[in-house]
Amino acid sequence: MKWESLSAFISMGGYGLYVWGSYGVALLCVVGEIFLVKKRFRTLHKELGLNEKSSI
Amino acid sequence: MAINWFKYASPATFYFLAGRMIPFFTVVAVLLLLVGLYISFFVAPTDFQQSEAYRIIFIHVPAAWMSMFLYLIMAFWAGIGLAFNTRLSSMVASAIAPTGAMFTFLALWTGAWWGKPMWGAWWVWDARLTSELILLFLYIGFMSLQAAIDDPRRADKAGAIIALVGVVNIPIIYFSVQWWNTLHQGASVSLVQSPKMATAMLTGMLIMALAAWMYSIAMILIRTRSIILERESRTAWVSELKEGVTRS
């Protein structure tokens, strides 16, 4: 295992704030985009009253 | 085997084709992301200069690549739509913009969080950073302009002109580190030289970049389907969907 402990993993050699600040915001952006994109599609489906089965 | 490509240029056909492709790209994106993250945090070694801070590279570089690739693809389809009046091309261009803007923002954001510990500054008005910020404004300008014009076909044309003019910014971003004396480091990966980094680092970065590609394709396909429905809501084929007629 590369990391000695969970706290070593979290601290990232003292750069934890910067590493997790980057990955955290990236995660938020991706999750946010997926949510918005799906919401737009579902709302349209509802408004148009479509019966089509959808995988998303 | 002759494929009639024009068939797929019809929004009605593309709507169903895209619907079948989305699950594939989603699954591949998730798998690549898991492998990429594993390599990023557990396989790639500690950097001798930057310690663990360099691990930001695994999002920073793929995000920066995607921001430029997506812009070129957006401008290409917008240009095709402008030149040949193909509706679907313009719809795809509009669907690309938000994902491109998201990756541009991420490239800037992760760059700032990398710049602070390494350069001592969140932001500098350096050629690379400034041209990437202009890219974000181009995406936002493209989306705002399209949103401000009521007639979709006119919005497509106006957007295409912004998108095409903005293409000039892409080589500026890419070559900025060579043309100007900048704080930003030069390219670690290029087509003409062997990469200047450890294999595990390079592999992680490339897998994360592939994951970002697959993710982008999935997002763009879903968004294109929404745009097709919005614009074609009064057509016969959408009415057929309301009656629950299945079609493939």
Side-chain angles (χ1 to χ4, degrees):
Chain A
M1 192 69 178
K2 197 186 152 11
W3 304 93
E4 285 166 13
S5 63
L6 184 65
S7 62
F9 181 70
I10 290 167
S11 87
M12 281 286 147
Y15 293 107
L17 173 69
Y18 303 103
V19 173
W20 300 121
S22 297
Y23 278 83
V25 171
L27 182 73
L28 277 180
C29 283
V30 166
V31 170
E33 189 185 13
I34 295 172
F35 173 78
L36 289 174
V37 157
K38 284 189 169 183
K39 197 178 119 190
R40 180 177 178 184
F41 189 72
R42 289 204 181 119
T43 310
L44 265 169
H45 254 234
K46 216 176 260 176
E47 278 173 11
L48 295 172
L50 303 187
N51 294 321
E52 180 209 13
K53 270 187 195 163
S54 169
S55 55
I56 55 165
Chain B
M1 190 175 76
I3 299 173
N4 180 10
W5 292 103
F6 292 107
K7 185 183 158 199
Y8 295 104
S10 140
T13 315
F14 187 81
Y15 179 85
F16 294 100
L17 178 71
R20 287 201 302 271
M21 287 175 353
I22 290 161
F24 168 78
F25 286 106
T26 309
V27 169
V28 177
V30 171
L31 292 177
L32 285 169
L33 181 69
L34 291 176
V35 176
L37 283 175
Y38 178 76
I39 296 175
S40 306
F41 284 109
F42 298 102
V43 181
T46 303
D47 187 75
F48 78 103
Q49 267 183 331
Q50 305 196 0
S51 170
E52 311 298 350
Y54 92 91
R55 291 187 196 277
I56 295 170
I57 204 174
F58 299 112
I59 349 177
H60 181 70
V61 172
W65 281 345
M66 290 314 296
S67 72
M68 293 188 282
F69 283 141
L70 288 176
Y71 191 88
L72 290 177
I73 300 169
M74 176 182 91
F76 172 79
W77 286 117
I80 295 284
L82 184 66
F84 301 107
N85 251 320
T86 41
R87 289 172 300 151
L88 182 61
S89 323
S90 304
M91 295 184 202
V92 170
S94 305
I96 293 173
T99 302
M102 191 276 280
F103 278 115
T104 312
F105 166 75
L106 270 186
L108 290 166
W109 177 272
T110 55
W113 286 70
W114 197 359
K116 184 64 183 166
M118 292 302 137
W119 303 340
W122 296 102
W123 180 263
V124 283
W125 291 101
D126 159 295
R128 173 55 73 78
L129 280 67
T130 309
S131 51
E132 184 76 10
L133 182 64
I134 291 172
L135 182 68
L136 181 63
F137 293 154
L138 281 169
Y139 276 121
I140 294 172
F142 176 88
M143 291 187 284
S144 318
L145 184 66
Q146 291 208 323
I149 301 173
D150 286 332
D151 175 17
R153 296 300 291 138
R154 284 189 61 209
D156 287 344
K157 286 182 180 136
I161 292 165
I162 280 208
L164 287 170
V165 170
V167 168
V168 73
N169 189 43
I170 300 295
I172 295 178
I173 300 174
Y174 189 78
F175 293 109
S176 57
V177 287
Q178 294 171 25
W179 293 346
W180 289 282
N181 199 356
T182 77
L183 201 52
H184 196 284
Q185 68 181 77
S188 302
V189 179
S190 96
L191 294 174
V192 288
Q193 282 176 307
S194 56
K196 304 175 184 121
M197 62 201 307
T199 316
M201 291 182 189
L202 180 69
T203 313
M205 219 167 76
L206 293 178
I207 291 178
M208 291 294 274
L210 269 179
W213 260 114
M214 298 299 124
Y215 166 83
S216 302
I217 295 173
M219 289 296 113
I220 292 162
L221 288 177
I222 304 175
R223 208 178 274 119
T224 306
R225 293 187 99 201
S226 297
I227 297 173
I228 291 174
L229 282 183
E230 281 163 9
R231 294 202 190 176
E232 310 248 307
S233 57
R234 290 188 193 85
T235 58
W237 71 270
V238 177
S239 308
E240 278 175 28
L241 286 178
K242 290 178 196 172
E243 288 145 18
V245 178
T246 48
R247 192 175 137 170
S248 54

